[in-house]
Amino acid sequence: MGRTWLMAILVLCILLFMAGLDSRLSSSAHPPSLERNMEQGFQAANQTTNKVQAKIVKHVLTYAQTVRDDDPFIEAEPGVWVKKSNVEGIEVDGQRYYYSMIPHMSYDPLARGEVSMEDINILYDEQGEFPVMIYTIKSR
């Protein structure tokens, strides 16, 4: 009977050790300071992305909202002259951005029906008296 108690105590100790080891393994693998630094890094990356997007939006809006010397008017259809940028978009860092001013007259790919809402990624969508949406076309 003495050996049975000894085996029971040994098994119990092993089970308690395994339970403690399991709880340590399932807890956070990173010390709190590392997690805090990672979160701050993610926030900084998001701020950088937001700043880049804001610069792109500002640049594209200059085409949508003003007349520019480098954005001539072209004939989109007989007798209808529009800014070239509204038809062809604006390239920024190798990516083409389009702007749509629906419900006002617009000749971007979305307004022409060449793409649908499912085919685009919206970067900016401002509603109001003069709504402007800036988007890219998803890779096909």
Side-chain angles (χ1 to χ4, degrees):
M1 186 155 155
R3 285 182 84 161
T4 306
W5 279 103
L6 185 58
M7 285 297 276
I9 291 172
L10 182 60
V11 169
L12 182 61
C13 287
I14 290 171
L15 289 174
L16 288 172
F17 173 77
M18 295 295 285
L21 181 62
D22 184 52
S23 68
R24 282 181 285 185
L25 290 175
S26 64
S27 69
S28 176
H30 305 294
S33 60
L34 180 57
E35 286 182 2
R36 187 172 41 256
N37 288 343
M38 289 170 60
E39 180 62 30
Q40 289 171 348
F42 291 137
Q43 289 174 355
N46 284 339
Q47 288 174 352
T48 300
T49 300
N50 291 341
K51 286 179 184 178
V52 170
Q53 286 181 347
K55 287 176 81 172
I56 292 168
V57 167
K58 184 177 178 180
H59 181 69
V60 174
L61 285 176
T62 65
Y63 284 86
Q65 298 172 340
T66 63
V67 176
R68 296 172 49 119
D69 291 336
D70 63 342
D71 190 15
F73 283 85
I74 61 171
E75 195 168 18
E77 58 185 57
V80 179
W81 293 84
V82 298
K83 294 179 194 177
K84 182 177 180 180
S85 63
N86 189 226
V87 176
E88 298 179 5
I90 299 104
E91 188 170 321
V92 179
D93 295 332
Q95 175 69 53
R96 188 152 303 271
Y97 295 89
Y98 299 92
Y99 62 90
S100 184
M101 299 178 293
I102 295 174
H104 301 287
M105 186 172 69
S106 195
Y107 282 89
D108 60 282
L110 183 64
R112 294 191 311 261
E114 294 176 3
V115 296
S116 67
M117 290 298 289
E118 292 79 30
D119 299 323
I120 65 172
N121 290 316
I122 299 172
L123 180 68
Y124 175 82
D125 191 7
E126 178 65 37
Q127 299 302 313
E129 186 178 350
F130 299 104
V132 177
M133 178 175 59
I134 299 172
Y135 64 93
T136 60
I137 297 175
K138 294 177 183 175
S139 300
R140 296 178 185 185

